[in-house]
Amino acid sequence: MDWQPDEQGLQQVLQLLKDSQSPNTATQRIVQDKLKQLNQFPDFNNYLIFVLTRLKSEDEPTRSLSGLILKNNVKAHYQSFPPPVADFIKQECLNNIGDASSLIRATIGILITTIASKGELQMWPELLPQLCNLLNSEDYNTCEGAFGALQKICEDSSELLDSDALNRPLNIMIPKFLQFFKHCSPKIRSHAIACVNQFIMDRAQALMDNIDTFIEHLFALAVDDDPEVRKNVCRALVMLLEVRIDRLIPHMHSIIQYMLQRTQDHDENVALEACEFWLTLAEQPICKEVLASHLVQLIPILVNGMKYSEIDIILLKGDVEEDEAVPDSEQDIKPRFHKSRTVTLPHEAERPDGSEDAEDDDDDDALSDWNLRKCSAAALDVLANVFREELLPHLLPLLKGLLFHPEWVVKESGILVLGAIAEGCMQGMVPYLPELIPHLIQCLSDKKALVRSIACWTLSRYAHWVVSQPPDMHLKPLMTELLKRILDGNKRVQEAACSAFATLEEEACTELVPYLSYILDTLVFAFGKYQHKNLLILYDAIGTLADSVGHHLNQPEYIQKLMPPLIQKWNELKDEDKDLFPLLECLSSVATALQSGFLPYCEPVYQRCVTLVQKTLAQAMMYTQHPEQYEAPDKDFMIVALDLLSGLAEGLGGHVEQLVARSNIMTLLFQCMQDSMPEVRQSSFALLGDLTKACFIHVKPCIVFSFSALFIPLAEFMPILGTNLNPEFISVCNNATWAIGEICMQMGAEMQPYVQMVLNNLVEIINRPNTPKTLLENTAITIGRLGYVCPQEVAPMLQQFIRPWCTSLRNIRDNEEKDSAFRGICMMIGVNPGGVVQDFIFFCDAVASWVSPKDDLRDMFYKILHGFKDQVGEENWQQFSEQFPPLLKERLAAFYGV
């Protein structure tokens, strides 16, 4: 007997559906309460499916809404539907998938997929056979409805469909889909390709067995009239390029010709899919070989795609020049993620890594949706990295026309092109830069805001070159103009200028010291001018300035300019405000740079950080005990606070001692070091190391076992450090390693009971293949320091780590950490000279990496080198030193007379 609704119940449900389309929030609240009540009745879901599939007298939006509410119910509690209700819903879906309305068909398709994704593909064995069967229907609506549902199932359950759990239905489905590539309806052709496309990236076996037919069918559809079909063909070819390039290589020339046409398709969605092809091709080893002869066609197409479209300009309010007084809407502000502190060592000829600025290949964040302009710029960027200077003959003739074009949209795209190729074509661009950079600096005062903002970005991509020239040539004019743009009347320009200035600061470092007063005046003035979103970027520019000029900032006049507005913001923000993140990061850099200059401000800042850590730990505890009553805390507050405490300890040194003495930070740190979240542990170990350097008197009781009332047995710190020497969490491991090294230097011989807790892990890490450089260096320093304070305990293992130890530290600049580590290695060689014999050449190379070791360390090196030489005898030494590269030979002879 078929289920029938009760008339009164049906009217009630219909009224509810009508009310729920009301914009009034009070009505919405009533609807939500009513839904909760009705969900107590199991057959409420029967009413919903009935309205969707049978009530043709109702308007389509109401019927569709009924289906969407049912979909949410299925998502939330399908498991508790009584079997007759579940069966009725499934049957109705399959019987009505061919509804005359495309909206209703789509809604039924979503409902089917939702039921299928609730583990029901196994429990609904007739679903796939029936849908595949319905594809053969003469009725277009039935065929299209079934295909729509199948496409959604393929998207949601692609892995399951290619598994034994369902007897591999793809073996039947893929050949079936391929038949429909030739269907007369474009909508059906498009569904068919989209279904098959779901299985390319996972290399489903059923598809691999039919790969040649698939590719043949795709080629046949290449010139389809329907844009959706063309888009799916392009998408398929891009994916095949990644997973089955072997099958495309024989046809590569024609595919490239096809993609050149499609990248210019009048439908932007097709053009965007096709443009992805160049991005993917650039990652393939064969890119250079197959694409070189096509660059002459491709480059103008990509350059043309980099112009703003008319819609872009409308969306970006490209005609609005001044908007600085308009407050930001909250959804414009992207969530910020704090990057926890990682301890690194200075290297020879250190230069900031250029990889960070590659993320923002353009500055139209309001269009953070991927579009043709962004894709074309990204493609040009990666191709510039593949072809380097070979790209320029195709580009330079175009660039001249673009950069001086009277139309601003064209000129703007030329400036973007110049920025996109900066990384890959830098060498080839150098001869043109003395002429181009002044032109770009001039563009900073263009009357169009979008030209000014892109000029900021492009100039930042050439900052490294600018800084390498005499400062008066380009650095000074660039800085002067950028600072004016920081105070631009347009918010987008302010943002681009602030970001560009931060990049310039990283490159110029202390070159900026003569201009500090002028820079600070501008940045502080911006504080009073900026809306919410740009304030967050301003904090970053100030923090980067502090990192770049360091202690040069510690001048009373600079402190007087900078600190009052920062502290004013600090006092305005509540503890739960996420704007604290960038402000705390900024203050951390400022405190480290100002050193003792930060003393007048440190107490309230320190106290608040401790409070933030304490609050977050308390919330986390409540959440763990009563998850149904409390929300999980946002641990970023705690991480940022720990990092600022590190900045204070590093900047204030011994002055932080009294603050630590009057707080419970060590007890809190003990909890943070055991937190489940790696980033919390990472920041905890950085702070532990910084406190160890600044005020070991408060750290020591936590390491050395004691029964004092204050620290019950907090001698637990070392085992926690030992268990975190796990390279699976690189940054946690790195900071724990560094902290152990700092503790060694303070503990001296008292470190002896703890050596075995950590030594084996450290030796294992230094011998692991593919360990990141930073971690290797910190591990080597810490092993050296352990050996310095406890040579008898560490020396027996010398042979197991001496070679990687020497190679990790040869590129580190002379500094205190390197000094203590090398003293340790010398002392260990004294205890166990046999441990170094097999790898002595590596030791020689590491010794030669010192530019100016302290006299007593130089003596240690001298004794070991001459001791070894005397031991083996003159003749053997001659043979041995023949293996040295010439430079090493020279240095050892000059410095140590061997």
Side-chain angles (χ1 to χ4, degrees):
M1 173 62 191
D2 207 2
W3 180 86
Q4 287 300 324
D6 165 68
E7 194 49 43
Q8 199 184 348
L10 187 58
Q11 288 315 314
Q12 217 182 338
V13 171
L14 285 170
Q15 191 52 50
L16 181 75
L17 291 168
K18 293 273 189 288
D19 290 345
S20 64
Q21 293 171 60
S22 149
N24 182 329
T25 41
T27 313
Q28 284 298 338
R29 226 173 267 127
I30 296 167
V31 167
Q32 286 310 317
D33 293 342
K34 189 86 183 140
L35 275 175
K36 269 196 188 127
Q37 284 170 17
L38 288 169
N39 268 321
Q40 305 304 312
F41 301 100
D43 69 348
F44 172 51
N45 294 304
N46 284 0
Y47 281 89
L48 292 173
I49 190 78
F50 187 87
V51 175
L52 172 67
T53 57
R54 305 261 189 109
L55 220 53
K56 312 265 166 115
S57 54
E58 279 302 321
D59 60 284
E60 286 177 17
T62 303
R63 290 173 60 201
S64 173
L65 183 63
S66 184
L68 294 175
I69 293 174
L70 177 54
K71 178 207 76 166
N72 291 336
N73 285 351
V74 167
K75 250 194 168 133
H77 21 249
Y78 184 72
Q79 267 62 36
S80 57
F81 282 20
V85 173
D87 290 342
F88 180 62
I89 294 170
K90 289 181 189 171
Q91 205 42 56
E92 284 300 295
C93 285
L94 283 174
N95 289 346
N96 293 280
I97 192 75
D99 193 278
S101 147
S102 62
L103 175 64
I104 301 301
R105 292 199 297 275
T107 310
I108 294 174
I110 291 171
L111 190 50
I112 288 176
T113 312
T114 312
I115 296 172
S117 66
K118 297 301 283 183
E120 282 293 301
L121 262 181
Q122 287 101 315
M123 306 300 292
W124 193 358
E126 68 274 23
L127 173 64
L128 293 172
Q130 283 209 24
L131 286 176
C132 285
N133 213 5
L134 292 171
L135 296 182
N136 303 329
S137 167
E138 293 294 308
D139 174 47
Y140 166 78
N141 291 339
T142 305
C143 178
E144 195 280 324
F147 240 134
L150 280 165
Q151 186 180 330
K152 293 184 185 79
I153 293 170
C154 292
E155 284 166 12
D156 288 354
S157 312
S158 61
E159 280 183 31
L160 188 57
L161 291 172
D162 189 29
S163 71
D164 286 329
L166 298 173
N167 288 331
R168 303 205 169 266
L170 284 192
N171 294 338
I172 296 162
M173 289 163 71
I174 297 261
K176 182 101 184 159
F177 295 153
L178 288 172
Q179 293 169 12
F180 284 87
F181 276 40
K182 297 187 165 73
H183 197 276
C184 60
S185 151
K187 187 92 197 270
I188 304 278
R189 294 198 296 275
S190 179
H191 277 314
I193 310 169
C195 283
V196 179
N197 282 358
Q198 290 306 321
F199 303 100
I200 299 177
M201 293 311 284
D202 293 334
R203 294 187 164 86
Q205 193 53 51
L207 177 55
M208 295 303 122
D209 295 343
N210 289 282
I211 196 80
D212 292 326
T213 318
F214 176 45
I215 292 172
E216 228 171 89
H217 282 38
L218 283 175
F219 289 167
L221 290 175
V223 289
D224 201 282
D225 294 337
D226 185 77
E228 198 60 27
V229 173
R230 293 198 303 274
K231 185 179 96 175
N232 281 328
V233 169
C234 290
R235 184 173 290 172
L237 289 169
V238 171
M239 290 191 284
L240 288 167
L241 193 57
E242 262 189 75
V243 300
R244 287 309 302 260
I245 194 165
D246 57 311
R247 282 292 184 260
L248 298 188
I249 287 174
H251 315 283
M252 198 50 89
H253 177 75
S254 334
I255 294 174
I256 288 173
Q257 285 302 328
Y258 174 65
M259 286 300 188
L260 287 167
Q261 284 176 335
R262 288 289 71 82
T263 309
Q264 306 170 79
D265 202 286
H266 48 82
D267 183 302
E268 184 173 325
N269 293 323
V270 179
L272 177 57
E273 282 298 338
C275 195
E276 296 276 357
F277 181 82
W278 315 114
L279 271 178
T280 306
L281 184 57
E283 290 167 4
Q284 306 301 324
I286 60 154
C287 175
K288 223 170 167 171
E289 179 193 331
V290 298
L291 201 53
S293 60
H294 300 278
L295 286 179
V296 62
Q297 293 163 283
L298 173 61
I299 298 304
I301 294 172
L302 291 178
V303 167
N304 194 42
M306 287 162 77
K307 287 204 295 277
Y308 277 126
S309 68
E310 285 170 24
I311 296 172
D312 291 343
I313 295 168
I314 294 164
L315 287 175
L316 287 171
K317 306 188 175 65
D319 48 349
V320 177
E321 293 304 319
E322 289 226 1
D323 62 356
E324 64 174 350
V326 182
D328 295 327
S329 71
E330 287 308 303
Q331 64 261 37
D332 287 348
I333 300 171
K334 287 204 197 121
R336 290 235 350 183
F337 298 102
H338 171 68
K339 200 163 168 288
S340 309
R341 202 176 171 96
T342 308
V343 185
T344 53
L345 297 167
H347 288 90
E348 287 308 328
E350 188 165 9
R351 122 161 185 67
D353 176 18
S355 60
E356 286 184 22
D357 54 14
E359 293 162 25
D360 49 357
D361 261 286
D362 186 351
D363 69 341
D364 36 326
D365 271 345
L367 287 188
S368 53
D369 303 336
W370 194 231
N371 57 17
L372 186 60
R373 168 187 163 92
K374 289 194 160 187
C375 192
S376 304
L380 190 61
D381 184 350
V382 291
L383 290 170
N385 277 296
V386 173
F387 286 96
R388 304 277 169 193
E389 286 58 63
E390 294 166 41
L391 214 60
L392 293 177
H394 306 291
L395 254 178
L396 292 172
L398 299 172
L399 260 176
K400 197 117 182 144
L402 298 172
L403 288 171
F404 298 95
H405 201 279
E407 276 182 59
W408 76 264
V409 178
V410 180
K411 177 175 169 181
E412 193 277 345
S413 71
I415 301 172
L416 173 58
V417 168
L418 206 51
I421 60 168
E423 199 186 338
C425 302
M426 183 60 85
Q427 286 321 106
M429 287 306 294
V430 165
Y432 307 99
L433 292 179
E435 191 186 336
L436 279 173
I437 296 295
H439 175 64
L440 286 171
I441 292 174
Q442 224 178 329
C443 293
L444 286 174
S445 44
D446 193 275
K447 60 179 196 297
K448 291 304 287 186
L450 288 172
V451 174
R452 299 198 297 277
S453 64
I454 200 67
C456 291
W457 178 74
T458 292
L459 279 160
S460 76
R461 302 268 287 173
Y462 290 96
H464 184 65
W465 181 83
V466 166
V467 171
S468 70
Q469 305 300 301
D472 284 355
M473 291 274 295
H474 303 293
L475 177 62
K476 208 170 163 186
L478 172 58
M479 191 181 62
T480 312
E481 282 308 309
L482 266 184
L483 288 170
K484 285 184 196 161
R485 291 293 67 81
I486 284 177
L487 303 178
D488 201 277
N490 180 279
K491 291 193 289 190
R492 166 175 300 283
V493 179
Q494 293 171 357
E495 176 185 356
C498 247
S499 300
F501 196 71
T503 306
L504 186 64
E505 289 169 339
E506 285 175 349
E507 292 286 356
C509 295
T510 48
E511 299 268 352
L512 297 178
V513 172
Y515 317 109
L516 267 175
S517 184
Y518 179 42
I519 293 171
L520 287 169
D521 284 340
T522 305
L523 297 179
V524 169
F525 191 76
F527 257 110
K529 186 179 172 79
Y530 277 13
Q531 296 294 342
H532 186 179
K533 180 183 175 189
N534 286 352
L535 256 184
L536 307 183
I537 296 162
L538 181 62
Y539 294 143
D540 186 46
I542 292 171
T544 308
L545 179 68
D547 294 337
S548 303
V549 300
H551 65 91
H552 297 285
L553 202 55
N554 189 5
Q555 298 291 335
E557 65 154 323
Y558 301 154
I559 295 174
Q560 212 27 58
K561 287 179 186 204
L562 181 58
M563 288 310 295
L566 283 176
I567 293 298
Q568 187 193 338
K569 289 287 174 206
W570 169 262
N571 291 332
E572 283 170 15
L573 292 176
K574 297 195 173 54
D575 277 355
E576 16 320 306
D577 193 325
K578 289 205 162 117
D579 284 7
L580 272 177
F581 299 167
L583 179 55
L584 284 158
E585 285 174 31
C586 169
L587 278 170
S588 178
S589 298
V590 170
T592 308
L594 289 185
Q595 299 171 346
S596 59
F598 198 77
L599 272 173
Y601 309 96
C602 66
E603 181 130 12
V605 172
Y606 179 90
Q607 288 307 341
R608 186 170 192 180
C609 287
V610 173
T611 307
L612 282 169
V613 174
Q614 201 155 1
K615 273 188 174 175
T616 312
L617 285 171
Q619 277 178 293
M621 176 93 75
M622 310 235 281
Y623 172 69
T624 312
Q625 290 167 355
H626 308 284
E628 68 294 336
Q629 284 177 26
Y630 296 99
E631 280 191 14
D634 183 340
K635 288 188 180 173
D636 271 0
F637 284 103
M638 174 156 74
I639 295 166
V640 183
L642 290 166
D643 287 348
L644 177 44
L645 289 169
S646 281
L648 289 175
E650 193 181 333
L652 299 173
H655 294 295
V656 85
E657 190 270 322
Q658 290 162 339
L659 295 170
V660 175
R662 293 200 296 271
S663 72
N664 61 341
I665 187 65
M666 296 312 298
T667 316
L668 298 173
L669 195 51
F670 180 61
Q671 290 174 267
C672 293
M673 285 166 54
Q674 300 173 78
D675 198 273
S676 57
M677 187 176 182
E679 290 79 3
V680 174
R681 301 200 302 277
Q682 176 182 336
S683 294
S684 310
F685 296 136
L687 177 55
L688 179 63
D690 282 317
L691 290 175
T692 298
K693 289 170 81 167
C695 54
F696 189 62
I697 174 174
H698 296 296
V699 177
K700 190 172 179 180
C702 307
I703 290 164
V704 178
F705 195 78
S706 74
F707 286 101
S708 71
L710 182 58
F711 301 105
I712 307 177
L714 276 188
E716 308 291 328
F717 271 42
M718 286 312 294
I720 296 172
L721 284 162
T723 46
N724 278 280
L725 296 177
N726 168 10
E728 197 184 330
F729 300 105
I730 295 291
S731 303
V732 179
C733 183
N734 180 66
N735 289 3
T737 303
W738 174 74
I740 293 167
E742 291 300 334
I743 290 168
C744 283
M745 297 311 290
Q746 301 290 340
M747 291 276 283
E750 288 181 68
M751 193 69 190
Q752 192 257 323
Y754 309 104
V755 172
Q756 294 316 317
M757 283 183 191
V758 297
L759 183 60
N760 288 334
N761 285 353
L762 292 169
V763 172
E764 197 177 316
I765 290 165
I766 205 166
N767 282 295
R768 267 180 99 226
N770 305 326
T771 303
K773 200 164 79 211
T774 306
L775 179 54
L776 281 178
E777 290 161 0
N778 274 317
T779 305
I781 296 278
T782 296
I783 291 175
R785 288 177 152 190
L786 272 171
Y788 177 58
V789 296
C790 301
Q792 298 294 340
E793 280 70 24
V794 186
M797 295 187 76
L798 193 56
Q799 198 177 340
Q800 294 179 42
F801 60 74
I802 185 72
R803 181 187 283 202
W805 190 95
C806 292
T807 47
S808 318
L809 291 186
R810 63 189 299 278
N811 296 320
I812 300 285
R813 270 194 247 156
D814 295 7
N815 63 18
E816 284 302 314
E817 292 170 314
K818 184 171 176 176
D819 178 275
S820 53
F822 271 83
R823 286 170 193 276
I825 220 76
C826 292
M827 290 169 76
M828 288 188 274
I829 292 172
V831 173
N832 175 16
V836 74
V837 172
Q838 287 183 331
D839 298 301
F840 199 69
I841 186 166
F842 291 94
F843 176 72
C844 297
D845 178 54
V847 166
S849 75
W850 277 89
V851 181
S852 46
K854 290 182 183 159
D855 290 343
D856 59 335
L857 180 61
R858 184 188 298 250
D859 287 344
M860 293 167 114
F861 293 157
Y862 184 91
K863 287 193 179 109
I864 291 172
L865 291 168
H866 280 272
F868 187 82
K869 184 178 175 182
D870 297 345
Q871 187 91 35
V872 298
E874 186 66 42
E875 195 181 325
N876 284 337
W877 177 261
Q878 283 309 323
Q879 275 183 327
F880 173 68
S881 60
E882 282 309 307
Q883 312 165 46
F884 292 177
L887 192 65
L888 175 57
K889 225 175 182 164
E890 267 168 49
R891 289 192 77 147
L892 290 178
F895 285 106
Y896 302 100
V898 289

